[in-house]
């Protein structure tokens, strides 16, 4: 595709312009403050760290911890992202101890209690492989083979937020996967080779899953 | 002596066209826009932002959305990147009648929804303009394809529409730039459908994204980012900002005022003409006015009707230009649903490069020469495309750790999606009116929307679900889900009607040149004028009708008849 144009913007100029603009303004990403009741306990944060690390460990590329996933999950829960702000059906008695007055779930309370219960003791004191085994059990129960659960497990939302936190972080989106702000062309058929990575910014695919 | 030759209300897809055509014809034009100014290439604040540069990573602040954008946030184009290109629902309330659900997706800003639209551009054919006459539902269109063809040519050439020539009677070819290519999967589906159903054609979307530069207008070709609704500094898709506004401004005859909510069109009962408009300057809270020889309403279908209803006077108690009593009635959208998603095995060794900003379309094949719809007399068509599942598939399946990471590293299975748009019938009971008591922030009565889909639309979507599944199965796919119930009214974001065109001043608001039967110097050239909805995306037709109405109005002005 020819990208040079008369007095229109050229791709190269555009990229330079965007980069310069960023440099000049030095636009930082500001993180919104949390409401008091959205601040997790120290132990909940340690549980979330451990769980995020199990879901997306460091491999050849950074994992969830190095990319700040737990902090994103805390922010996301405080603002109800990924459906976590929607009230839970009152009939879900197993969840009742973890509900706020408005019917929404305290996801981190639920996670902490569910892991400790499955561990039969303090989840954080178990050996790492034991922790993986326990989380695998919860994960398998949340996504059984066949049709999805009528009432989704809270783990499905938490896992979704961990994945979002990771694959929208710089390392997750642009190092683990491929991110191209300006592809510049469209090739309708390219051989897929072993080791090729998926795009993190194929927006339609991201949306439809 | 009037302040202006013409006043254009609204700066969206149709207002931009009216401003361009009228200024280029030599008229001195005032364009009024209720929203803020957004400057091309300077104010597209989120255009180049990566997800990690946004606090909510592109998903946006759900708590804020629930409070302030509860309707807009229901639309999948509303994200953290685009939230400032849609209205704040809380600040811009509307009412729905008991039993009605209507999601009204709006962009109040310079450029209107030309910034946020999906850019799909399809001509209508005489199957569409003849539809009301054929089955007797609604009033006959006083326009046929031959009237509009030269105006489609003009609009397509100027805005730049890429697409493939297919020679279809129901979806006439236009003046296209070279098409974007079908992906390998879509190409295969096209061939397999054609082999089984010679009358069904899957073709690339006809889209107002440039595949060739338009150097004279400072517009570069598309860079395949598919982030258009953030605003595009390449000017590679059609918007008011990239296209019609610079053309109008270069004449030196355009005055543009933003932050100006037009509240009323003034009418002189002695002459029977409109004399100008009044607006509220939302920055200073001052009320202002201007006079003109003609007025063009381009506020978006429902807002133009709202303005006509709010402009009622002693001489016209039911609303301006409403001697027929049909103003506000026969509103439409399209009945819209996700007809099928199928897994498409056999392409595991293939992928694509780039983000194509359009999908594909399967034009209408029902109720053409023969009425073969089961329970419906109009048409439906599909839009959609093939995609390779992304990392988000990990949210739906079991799996953890290095293995999960490895699995999500690869593009996932190919899938094909087909979304149906079924023609919405013009019904008198689907209508806009002024709410009896509720008012908006500026004290004007709120618009109330009464809308329901009918049995015909549901029958069409049931057929669409069955046919989508049959086609994707014949193309080698495994259908995993499909729906046959329409989303609430407004879901297709093709709301239209309310000031329909017609032959007869007793049963319609506008004549065949989008001119009010009752008021010869008043023109309504947005979606309000539509007498039926067809099943194509409507904006190209609005633009063609606008250009045609401008030509007519200028002719009448020159002849001294208005
Ligand atoms: C996400 C999305 C995708 C879409 N995809 C497509 C598509 O693919 N193809 C297609 O054909 N259509 C599509 N549409 C619909 C398309 O955007 C509209 O049909 C089109 O913009 C209508 O043009 P318009 O000029 O009538 O109104 P708009 O573009 O909405 O412009 C109206 C303008 O008038 C202003 N205004 C309103 N009231 C007043 C007032 N009282 N005083 C002053 N100014 C006022 C508004 O602020 C706005 O700027 C899509 C829309 C959306 C939101
Ligand atoms: S896809 Fe094309 S038109 Fe859309 S934003 Fe990118 S360059 Fe612009």
């Amino acid at each position: 595709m020819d990208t040079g144009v008369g007095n229109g913007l050229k791709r190269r100029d555009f990229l330079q312009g965007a980069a310069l603009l960023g440099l000049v303004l030095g636009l930082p990403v500001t993180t919104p403050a949390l409401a008091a009741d959205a601040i997790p306990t120290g132990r909940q944060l340690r549980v979330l760290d451990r769980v995020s690390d199990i879901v997306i460990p460091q491999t050849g590329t950074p994992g969830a911890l190095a990319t700040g996933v737990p902090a994103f999950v805390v922010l996301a829960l405080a603002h109800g992202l990924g459906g976590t702000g929607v009230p839970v059906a009152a009939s879900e008695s197993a969840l009742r101890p973890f509900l706020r007055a408005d019917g929404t779930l305290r996801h981190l309370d639920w996670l902490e209690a569910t892991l400790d219960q499955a561990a039969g003791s303090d989840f954080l004191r178990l050996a790492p492989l034991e922790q993986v085994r326990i989380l695998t059990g919860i994960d398998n129960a949340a996504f059984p083979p066949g049709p999805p659960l009528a009432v989704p497990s809270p783990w499905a939302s938490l896992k979704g937020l961990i994945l979002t936190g990771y694959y929208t972080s710089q390392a997750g989106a642009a190092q683990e996967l491929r991110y191209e702000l300006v592809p510049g062309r469209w090739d309708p058929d390219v051989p897929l080779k072993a080791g090729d990575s998926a795009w993190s910014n194929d927006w339609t695919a991201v949306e439809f899953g | 002596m009037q302040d202006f030759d013409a006043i254009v209300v609204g700066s969206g897809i149709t207002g931009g066209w009216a401003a361009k055509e009228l200024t280029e014809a030599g008229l001195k034009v005032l364009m009024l826009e209720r929203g803020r100014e957004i400057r091309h290439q300077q104010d597209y604040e989120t255009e180049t932002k990566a997800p990690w540069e946004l606090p909510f990573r592109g998903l946006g602040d759900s708590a804020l959305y629930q409070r302030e954008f509860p309707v807009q946030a229901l639309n999948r184009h509303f994200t953290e990147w685009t939230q400032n290109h849609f209205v704040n629902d809380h600040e811009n309330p509307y009412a729905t009648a008991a039993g009605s659900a209507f999601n009204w997706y709006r962009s109040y800003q310079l450029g209107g929804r030309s910034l946020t639209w999906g850019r799909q551009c399809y001509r209508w054919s005489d199957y569409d303009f003849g539809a009301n006459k054929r089955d007797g539902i609604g009033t006959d269109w006083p326009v046929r394809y031959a009237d509009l063809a030269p105006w489609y040519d003009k609009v397509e050439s100027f805005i730049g529409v890429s697409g493939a020539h297919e020679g279809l009677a129901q979806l006439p070819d236009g003046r296209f730039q070279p098409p974007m290519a079908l992906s390998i999967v879509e190409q295969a589906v096209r061939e397999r459908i054609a082999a089984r159903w010679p009358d069904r054609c899957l073709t690339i979307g006809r889209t107002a994204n440039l595949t060739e530069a338009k150097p004279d207008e400072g517009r570069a070709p598309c860079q395949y980012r598919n982030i258009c609704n953030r605003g595009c500094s390449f000017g590679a898709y059609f918007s008011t900002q990239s296209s019609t506004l610079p053309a109008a401004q270069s004449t030196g005859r355009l005055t543009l005022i933003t932050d100006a909510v037009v509240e009323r069109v003034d009418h002189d009962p002695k002459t029977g003409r409109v004399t100008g408009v009044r607006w509220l300057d939302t920055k200073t809270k001052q009320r202002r006015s201007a006079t003109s020889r003609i007025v063009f309403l381009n506020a978006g279908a429902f807002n133009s009707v709202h303005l006509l209803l709010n402009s009622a006077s002693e001489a016209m108690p039911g609303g301006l230009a409403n001697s027929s009593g049909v103003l506000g009635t026969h509103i439409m959208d399209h009945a819209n649903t996700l007809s099928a998603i199928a897994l498409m095995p056999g392409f595991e060794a293939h992928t694509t490069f780039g983000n194509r900003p359009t999908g594909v379309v399967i034009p209408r094949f029902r109720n053409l020469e023969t009425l073969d719809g089961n329970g419906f007399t109009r048409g439906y068509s599909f839009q959609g495309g093939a995609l390779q599942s992304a990392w988000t598939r990990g949210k739906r399946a079991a799996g953890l750790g290095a293995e999960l990471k490895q699995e999500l590293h690869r593009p996932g299975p190919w899938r094909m999606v087909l979304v149906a748009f079924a023609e919405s019938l013009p019904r008198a009971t689907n209508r806009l009116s002024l709410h009896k008591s509720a008012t908006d922030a500026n004290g004007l009565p709120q618009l109330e929307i009464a809308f329901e889909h009918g049995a015909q639309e549901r029958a069409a979507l049931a057929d669409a679900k069955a046919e989508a599944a049959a086609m994707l199965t014949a193309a080698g796919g495994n259908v995993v889900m499909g729906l046959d119930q329409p989303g609430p009214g407004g879901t297709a974001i093709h709301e239209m009607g309310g000031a329909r065109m017609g032959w007869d001043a007793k049963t319609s608001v506008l004549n065949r040149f989008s001119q009010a039967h009752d008021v010869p110097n008043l023109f309504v050239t947005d979606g309000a004028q539509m007498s039926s909805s067809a099943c194509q995306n409507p904006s190209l037709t609005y633009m063609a009708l606008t250009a045609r109405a401008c030509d007519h109005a200028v002719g009448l002005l020159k002849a001294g008849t208005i």
Side-chain angles (χ1 to χ4, degrees):
Chain A
M1 192 66 43
D2 174 24
T3 58
V5 282
N7 51 0
L9 223 56
K10 290 199 182 85
R11 174 169 187 263
R12 199 183 51 243
D13 301 344
F14 175 77
L15 285 175
Q16 275 170 2
L20 283 177
L21 196 71
L23 276 180
V24 172
L25 303 178
L27 299 166
V29 182
T30 48
T31 308
L34 293 183
D37 85 325
I39 298 173
T41 65
R43 183 166 190 273
Q44 285 177 340
L45 282 179
R46 288 197 297 283
V47 168
L48 183 58
D49 275 359
R50 182 65 194 117
V51 162
S52 303
D53 189 36
I54 294 173
V55 177
I56 302 283
Q58 168 148 0
T59 52
T61 56
L65 290 184
T67 50
V69 166
F72 171 73
V73 173
V74 170
L75 176 72
L77 289 172
H79 290 261
L81 271 63
T84 56
V86 178
V88 170
S91 58
E92 285 315 300
S93 55
L95 300 181
R96 211 167 284 159
F98 311 107
L99 298 186
R100 298 187 184 89
D102 65 1
T104 60
L105 184 71
R106 293 179 210 276
H107 283 77
L108 293 181
D109 290 12
W110 174 86
L111 182 67
E112 191 180 23
T114 304
L115 289 171
D116 284 343
Q117 198 194 6
S121 63
D122 181 346
F123 173 78
L124 288 174
R125 286 175 184 271
L126 298 185
L129 279 177
E130 262 309 280
Q131 292 172 330
V132 171
R133 191 185 61 78
I134 283 171
L135 193 62
T136 303
I138 292 171
D139 187 57
N140 285 337
F143 302 103
L149 297 176
V151 180
S153 159
W155 172 244
S157 313
L158 284 166
K159 182 179 178 181
L161 291 176
I162 291 169
L163 295 184
T164 296
Y166 181 65
Y167 289 105
T168 61
S169 72
Q170 185 158 12
Q175 200 177 330
E176 170 65 16
L177 301 183
R178 178 173 198 175
Y179 179 87
E180 304 258 6
L181 176 61
V182 188
R185 64 172 202 280
W186 161 250
D187 296 334
D189 180 17
V190 178
L192 181 63
K193 296 186 291 296
D196 281 356
S197 46
W199 292 63
S200 67
N201 67 321
D202 178 348
W203 305 111
T204 315
V206 165
E207 194 184 312
F208 280 91
Chain B
M1 183 69 194
Q2 291 92 339
D3 303 325
F4 294 92
D5 295 318
I7 292 175
V8 174
V9 180
S11 67
I13 289 186
T14 63
W17 262 94
K20 166 180 152 15
E21 293 299 290
L22 296 173
T23 53
E24 286 180 348
L27 271 54
K28 194 176 147 204
V29 175
L30 170 64
M31 180 157 70
L32 293 165
E33 166 54 51
R34 75 187 297 158
R36 70 191 167 106
E37 183 180 26
I38 295 180
R39 289 163 303 171
H40 189 46
Q41 296 173 338
Q42 295 176 56
D43 296 334
Y44 302 145
E45 292 154 19
T46 60
E47 180 180 3
T48 61
K49 287 254 190 283
W52 58 88
E53 295 171 320
L54 298 172
F56 296 96
R57 303 288 181 85
L59 297 185
D61 181 349
S62 304
L64 172 76
Y65 293 174
Q66 216 177 328
R67 282 197 311 274
E68 313 241 329
F69 302 89
V71 176
Q72 307 308 307
L74 297 172
N75 132 38
R76 69 184 188 88
H77 305 278
F78 181 90
T79 67
E80 193 170 8
W81 282 281
T82 63
Q83 66 185 43
N84 56 7
H85 285 171
F86 287 92
V87 297
N88 181 309
D89 292 308
H90 187 67
E91 290 166 8
N92 296 282
Y94 63 93
T96 46
S100 289
F102 199 95
N103 296 334
W104 189 15
Y105 298 113
R106 295 166 289 165
S107 299
Y108 291 170
Q109 60 207 6
L110 183 61
R113 287 178 296 182
S114 76
L115 285 177
T116 48
W117 73 316
R119 308 163 303 282
Q120 298 297 299
C121 288
Y122 300 102
R123 292 188 178 205
W124 287 26
S125 73
D126 276 336
Y127 291 112
D128 305 308
F129 293 113
N132 288 357
K133 185 164 190 189
R134 184 192 200 183
D135 62 19
I137 301 170
T139 195
D140 183 26
W141 273 95
V143 170
R144 288 296 184 269
Y145 181 67
D147 300 314
L148 221 49
W151 301 101
Y152 278 134
D153 289 348
K154 175 178 179 131
V155 168
E156 286 160 346
S157 306
F158 188 73
I159 70 175
V161 177
S162 59
H165 297 263
E166 300 284 5
L168 304 170
Q170 73 274 37
L171 202 72
D173 291 335
R175 296 278 167 95
F176 297 142
Q177 289 202 347
M180 293 179 178
L182 295 174
S183 72
I184 170 109
V185 177
E186 293 157 349
Q187 181 64 32
V189 173
R190 169 184 164 99
E191 288 162 14
R192 292 169 190 176
I193 290 176
R196 170 84 181 270
W197 293 275
D199 62 333
R200 299 188 188 179
C201 172
L202 182 154
T203 186
I204 187 70
R206 297 171 176 176
T207 186
N209 292 83
L210 303 183
T211 50
E212 285 174 345
K214 291 182 113 270
D216 295 348
E217 285 126 45
R219 299 180 58 196
C222 180
Q223 304 298 313
Y224 299 96
R225 303 185 295 171
N226 197 18
I227 54 175
C228 314
N229 47 23
R230 302 179 192 177
C232 176
S233 292
F234 294 102
Y237 76 93
F238 167 81
S239 65
T240 297
Q241 275 84 343
S242 71
S243 176
T244 44
L245 181 62
Q249 283 176 324
S250 72
T251 64
R253 285 185 285 271
L254 180 72
T255 303
L256 166 66
I257 302 181
T258 55
D259 306 292
V261 184
V262 176
E263 297 183 320
R264 188 177 176 81
V265 182
D266 283 327
H267 176 254
D268 180 352
K270 286 199 284 295
T271 61
R273 308 285 165 103
V274 288
T275 54
V277 308
R278 294 167 188 276
W279 70 92
L280 172 73
D281 179 328
T282 53
K283 283 205 161 140
T284 63
K285 300 288 168 208
Q286 307 231 310
R287 290 207 151 71
R288 301 178 55 192
S289 64
T291 57
S292 63
R293 297 166 71 197
I294 59 175
V295 172
F296 266 67
L297 297 189
N298 299 94
F302 287 9
N303 276 313
S304 287
V305 172
H306 195 190
L307 191 49
L308 291 169
L309 290 169
N310 274 331
S311 301
S313 60
E314 218 170 291
M316 297 194 164
L320 180 58
N322 190 22
S323 68
S324 66
V326 299
L327 180 65
T329 66
H330 302 89
I331 58 167
M332 298 159 281
D333 183 37
H334 288 137
N336 191 206
T337 203
L338 177 57
S339 300
I341 298 185
L343 287 163
M344 303 301 298
F347 301 94
E348 291 72 22
H350 300 264
T351 188
T352 54
F353 181 95
N355 267 334
R356 196 186 60 195
T358 182
V360 305
V361 60
I362 302 176
R364 168 179 177 181
F365 47 81
R366 283 285 187 241
N367 295 323
L368 295 173
E369 283 315 295
T370 45
L371 286 174
D372 56 356
N374 184 5
F376 61 103
T377 52
R378 304 285 174 105
Y380 64 80
S381 70
F382 295 107
Q383 293 179 18
L387 52 95
Q388 245 170 331
S389 297
W391 60 266
T392 37
R393 70 186 183 278
K395 297 183 179 191
R396 293 192 311 265
L400 300 174
E403 230 171 276
L404 171 67
K405 219 174 152 185
Q406 201 181 349
E407 152 65 18
L408 297 182
H409 182 74
R410 301 265 298 169
W414 278 100
R415 306 208 275 161
M416 181 94 191
V417 177
L418 290 180
V419 172
F421 290 81
E423 181 155 356
S424 178
L425 296 181
R427 294 188 182 83
T429 46
N430 285 343
R431 66 176 302 171
L432 305 171
S433 54
L434 295 180
H435 193 273
K436 302 274 180 305
S437 54
T439 54
D440 68 13
N442 305 321
L444 288 177
Q446 278 181 28
L447 190 65
E448 178 171 296
I449 306 174
F451 185 89
E452 273 177 51
H453 294 295
Q456 283 235 18
E457 288 89 329
R458 288 175 203 281
L461 289 186
D463 189 50
K465 178 183 174 184
E467 293 305 314
M471 288 191 284
L472 293 182
T473 305
N478 302 317
V479 174
V480 292
M481 64 93 64
L483 304 171
D484 60 4
Q485 292 303 311
T491 298
I493 327 186
H494 294 155
E495 82 285 357
M496 61 179 111
R500 70 182 183 184
M501 275 193 191
W503 294 105
D504 186 349
K506 290 197 207 63
T507 56
S508 58
V509 179
L510 304 171
N511 71 14
R512 65 203 175 97
F513 291 109
S514 323
Q515 180 184 19
H517 287 298
D518 296 345
V519 187
N521 64 340
L522 174 66
F523 295 79
V524 184
T525 76
D526 55 24
Q529 67 190 318
M530 306 305 274
S531 314
S532 74
S533 70
C535 60
Q536 294 91 315
N537 312 58
S539 307
L540 180 75
T541 299
Y542 303 167
M543 289 188 257
L545 288 169
T546 299
R548 181 168 173 269
C550 288
D551 179 68
H552 184 70
V554 169
L556 295 178
L557 278 178
K558 287 204 175 124
T561 49
I562 57 171

